[in-house]
Amino acid sequence: MKNNYSILTGITPSGSGEVHIGNYLGAVVPFLELQKNADKIYFFIADLHALTTVQNKLELQRNVENLVLSYLAFGIDTKKVVFYRQSDITEHTELQSILNNVTPLALIKRAHAYKDKLQKGTDPEDINMGLFSYPILMAADILLYGPDYVPVGDDQKQHIEIARDVAGFFNKTYGETFVLPDIYNIKESARLVGTEGKRKMSKSLNNYIAVFADEKIIRKQIMSCYTDPNRKKVTDPGSVEGNPVFTYHRLLNDNKDEVADLEKRYTTGTVSDMEVKEKLIFAILTKFKKERALYNELKSNPEKIKDILREGAEKARVQAAKKMMEVRERIGITNKYSEFHY
Ligand code: ADP
Ligand code: TRP
C-alpha cells in the first residue's frame, strides 16, 4: 500500500435502495478504514448506473436520498471526502462515450452483469445497452479521478479489471493518460451470504438485513433467517458452519464472549434458534445505534443534504473537467484553433 494514496468508490441506488449489512461489511468498512489515511477520497452515488434497472423517477429519487443519508450516517467525513452524485458530473458520460471506441466488444461480452442476464435466459437482443456498457461507464467513473485504490466487494472486481484494461488500451493508443486503479478488498467478509443462506446478500434479492430500517422490519428480517435445517428440536445439536445467523454474529456482534457461548450451546443443543436470533437483533441494533440516530436526524434536514451534494459536485467537477481537457487534447478534440500544422 502506498503512503499518499487516493481512493474512489461508488454505490448504485438500485433495488430497494436500502443499505444492508453486506454493503456495510463489503463496502462501508473498508471505505472507513481507507478514509483514515487516504490523501484524497471520491465517493459517489452511481445514479446513472441505476438507470439500467430503476426506470421510475420517484423510486430513483427515493433510493438516492436513502443512500446519501445512510452513508453520511456511517460517518463519511465530507470535509475530507468529495461526496457527489454521478449524474451531476457530465464528464462521466462524456468520457464513457470516448472510451467506447478503445474498448473491444469481446472484453465487454465477458462481463458478469451481461453474462448473468444471458444465463438467466434473457434474449441478448433484449438486454439494454446501459447494462451492456455498464463497465465502460464504471471505467469512466474511475479514470477521470485517477485513484490508486478502488474499494469494492468481490462482485465488482471484474469491473475494476475491465477499467484497467480499458485504461491500458487508451494509454497504448494515445499515450500515458490514465492511472491504472488497484482493487482494495477485504477478504473474509467480501461476500456476505444472504438470509436464505445460499446467494450473496443483495438488495435486489430481498435476502438482506437492512441497517437503517425500523426495528420491526429488522426483527422480521432476522427472524426469517435460514438456520440449520437438520435441527428439529432445541436439544438437537446444530451446526454453526454455513449457518448465516452465526456468520452475522461473528462479523457484527461486538460481544465476542456471547458469540462463543452461543456457538457452544448451539452445537451441544442447549440454546434455541429464537434466542440466537434475539441476541443477533440486539447486537445489530446496538452496533448501529449511533448511526441510526444520525440517520433520523439528517432525514429531518433536507437542506443540509442538498448543500453537501452541491459542494461535493463542485469539487468533483474541477478534477473531472481537468482530466477531460487532457483527454480531449490527446484524442484531437480540442477547443484550440488548429493552425493546420499536422
Ligand atoms: P446490492 O447487491 O445489494 O445491490 P450493490 O451492488 O449496490 O449491492 O453493492 C454496493 C457495494 O456493496 C459494492 O461495493 C458491493 O461489492 C458491496 N456488496 C454488495 N453486496 C455485498 C455482500 N453480500 N457482501 C459484501 N459486499 C457486498
Ligand atoms: N457498480 C458498482 C456497484 O454496483 C457501483 C459503481 C459505479 C462503482 N461506478 C463505480 C464502484 C466506480 C467503484 C468504482 O457496486
Side-chain angles (χ1 to χ4, degrees), residues 8-14 23 27 44-46 49 86 92 134 137-142 150-153 155-156 159-160 203:
L8 171 143
T9 195
I11 178 156
T12 314
S14 56
N23 300 140
F44 63 92
I45 307 287
H49 276 113
Q86 181 188 33
H92 288 232
Y134 192 106
L137 178 57
M138 222 167 128
D141 295 339
I142 299 168
V150 182
V152 286
D155 59 334
Q156 295 293 321
H159 289 150
I160 312 304
K203 303 194 269 304

Side-chain angles (χ1 to χ4, degrees), residues 9-28 30 67 71 134 151-157 185-186 189-194 199-205 207-208:
T9 195
I11 178 156
T12 314
S14 56
S16 66
E18 273 186 311
V19 174
H20 53 70
I21 58 174
N23 300 140
Y24 173 75
L25 293 166
V28 179
L67 281 185
Y71 277 79
Y134 192 106
V152 286
D154 270 353
D155 59 334
Q156 295 293 321
K157 269 183 168 176
N185 179 260
I186 287 190
S189 57
R191 213 178 154 81
L192 190 70
V193 69
R199 293 192 283 176
K200 79 149 201 153
M201 182 172 285
S202 172
K203 303 194 269 304
S204 45
L205 296 173
N207 60 355
Y208 61 85

